[in-house]
């Protein structure tokens, strides 16, 4: 396949591009310097030059608070950007994938969401990504996929956050006398490498549409931290906190774990459990630059 990855310098984009290339695909890595998704001409020109058969759009404006403050920008990038990409794909006859989020849900169901559940975003970010999903599918001519992911972590940090959850927590464990993490927000932590593998499988299966791609099981951020500390042998005290302990509006869904039901149906197997995926991520040396407390001497 000839694949173009938009947002190729990002956490997910980096691992997607690496996995496609390692699988023998020809990959055009298009970072923000090459494409501004909110600019239709920039999208059209970059994709026309790359002539991809598949375009994966991971580009996003996703800091939650900034999306509330700059809703025009959030919708320009996350919603209209998706439309520009879909239109360029239509001109090229390329298949497209739009990467979306668990934040399209309000989190009030108290269980994991499947593809059949009705989205109800509670933030500008979630609303702009949901609009992006609709526009990506509405403008598509060739087959199109929307994949929703949750609580991702990769080999490189999130460009927008400068960290991912694991690297942020490991840094705090080194620098602070104790670590406090919320236990009332439930997610499906998933390594970007697993998403890359699963997405390529889906493309080969050729059954377009909406998919959740998240590891099996779910946990609170506190439980994720507990398991991370166990696996890394970290003894920094870990305390449970509530989201209400922190100031400001809560824009995060309380329970936004994703059930990857359609992936299981189409591919005949599940993604790994989040605990196994976390252990494999650590075993791969992906966090080698973040030594356990005391180990740096
Ligand atoms: N992080 C999570 O836990 C999470 C959870 C659910 C869903 N998602 C979704 O997953 C996707 C990937 O997230 P990520 O963590 O990999 O993000 P990331 O590390 O911040 O990477 C985003 C990429 O998009 C590029 N980009 C930003 N604005 C752009 C624009 N206007 N035009 C073109 N490129 C632009 C960034 O380049 P620069 O950095 O140079 O601007 C970067 O390469 C996003 O669509 C996000 O909504 C993420």
């Amino acid at each position: 396949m000839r694949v173009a990855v938009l947002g190729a310098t990002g956490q997910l984009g980096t691992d997607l591009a690496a996995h496609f290339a390692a699988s023998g695909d020809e990959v055009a890595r298009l970072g923000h310097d090459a494409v501004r998704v909110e600019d239709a001409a920039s999208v059209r020109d970059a994709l026309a030059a790359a002539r991809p058969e598949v375009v994966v759009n991971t580009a996003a404006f996703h800091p939650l608070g900034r999306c509330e403050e700059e809703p025009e920008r959030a919708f320009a990038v996350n919603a209209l950007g998706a439309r520009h990409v879909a239109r360029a794909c239509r001109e090229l006859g390329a298949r497209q994938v739009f990467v979306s989020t668990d934040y399209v849900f309000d989190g009030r169901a108290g269980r994991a969401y499947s593809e059949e559940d009705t989205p109800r975003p509670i933030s500008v970010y979630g609303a702009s990504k949901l609009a992006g999903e609709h526009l990506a599918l509405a403008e598509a001519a060739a087959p199109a996929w929307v994949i929703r992911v949750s609580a991702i972590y990769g080999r490189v940090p999130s460009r927008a956050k400068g960290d991912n959850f694991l690297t942020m927590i490991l840094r705090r464990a080194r620098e602070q006398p104790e670590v406090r993490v919320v236990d009332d927000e439930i997610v499906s932590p998933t390594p970007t490498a697993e998403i890359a593998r699963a997405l390529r499988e889906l493309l080969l299966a050729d059954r377009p549409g909406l998919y959740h791609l998240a590891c099996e099981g779910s946990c609170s951020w506190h439980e994720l931290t507990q398991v991370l500390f166990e696996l890394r042998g970290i003894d920094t005290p870990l305390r449970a906190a509530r989201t209400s302990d922190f100031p400001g509006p809560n824009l995060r869904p309380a329970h936004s774990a994703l059930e990857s039901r359609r992936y299981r149906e189409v591919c005949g197997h599940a993604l790994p459990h989040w605990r196994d995926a976390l252990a494999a991520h650590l075993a791969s040396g992906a966090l080698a630059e973040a030594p356990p407390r005391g180990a740096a001497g």
Side-chain angles (χ1 to χ4, degrees), residues 6-13 30-33 35-38 57-62 73 77-78 98-103 125 129 148-153 156-161 192 221:
L6 302 177
T9 59
Q11 181 173 221
L12 179 58
L30 301 175
H32 205 166
D33 56 341
V35 182
R36 294 174 61 245
V37 291
E38 63 274 44
N57 179 13
T58 76
F61 179 56
H62 59 107
R73 180 168 171 198
V77 174
N78 299 335
F98 176 67
V99 177
S100 189
T101 171
D102 52 335
Y103 279 39
Y125 168 61
K129 294 291 286 192
R148 294 189 186 132
V149 301
S150 159
I152 64 177
Y153 55 90
V156 304
S158 158
R159 291 274 295 179
K161 299 169 192 160
T192 45
W221 292 111

Side-chain angles (χ1 to χ4, degrees), residues 15-74:
D15 278 344
L16 281 173
H19 179 67
F20 282 114
S23 306
D25 299 319
E26 201 181 305
V27 181
R29 292 173 168 84
L30 301 175
H32 205 166
D33 56 341
V35 182
R36 294 174 61 245
V37 291
E38 63 274 44
D39 175 349
S42 139
V43 173
R44 212 173 37 238
D45 292 350
L47 291 181
R51 301 213 64 78
E53 293 157 313
V54 178
V55 177
V56 186
N57 179 13
T58 76
F61 179 56
H62 59 107
L64 270 184
R66 289 188 60 200
C67 286
E68 298 296 313
E69 289 158 13
E70 301 175 65
E72 294 84 0
R73 180 168 171 198

Side-chain angles (χ1 to χ4, degrees), residues 12 21 52 55 80 84 103 113 115 121 126 140 150 169-170 223-224 284 290 293:
L12 179 58
V55 177
L80 292 175
H84 298 147
Y103 279 39
Y113 290 96
E115 294 87 349
S150 159
I169 287 293
L170 290 174
E223 187 182 354
L224 174 62
S284 75
R293 189 175 160 82

Side-chain angles (χ1 to χ4, degrees), residues 195-293:
I195 296 168
R197 267 193 285 278
L199 174 58
R200 194 166 185 282
E201 257 185 293
L202 280 182
L203 290 168
L204 295 176
D206 208 17
R207 297 259 305 273
L210 170 67
Y211 289 85
H212 291 178
L213 288 186
C215 281
E216 291 289 301
S218 60
C219 61
S220 69
W221 292 111
H222 180 270
E223 187 182 354
L224 174 62
T225 307
Q226 218 164 19
V227 175
L228 174 65
F229 279 16
E230 279 163 26
L231 290 169
R232 291 291 297 243
I234 292 171
D235 58 7
T236 307
L238 171 63
R239 310 259 177 254
R242 312 293 290 171
T243 44
S244 55
D245 295 342
F246 298 94
N250 185 15
L251 304 168
R252 299 169 194 279
H255 191 316
S256 64
L258 298 176
E259 186 194 347
S260 306
R261 193 178 290 175
R262 285 204 68 211
Y263 172 81
R264 282 199 304 266
E265 283 164 12
V266 168
C267 294
H269 57 94
L271 273 94
H273 192 275
W274 68 264
R275 283 174 185 264
D276 298 330
L278 175 62
H281 183 74
L282 298 184
S284 75
L287 293 179
E289 75 291 351
R293 189 175 160 82

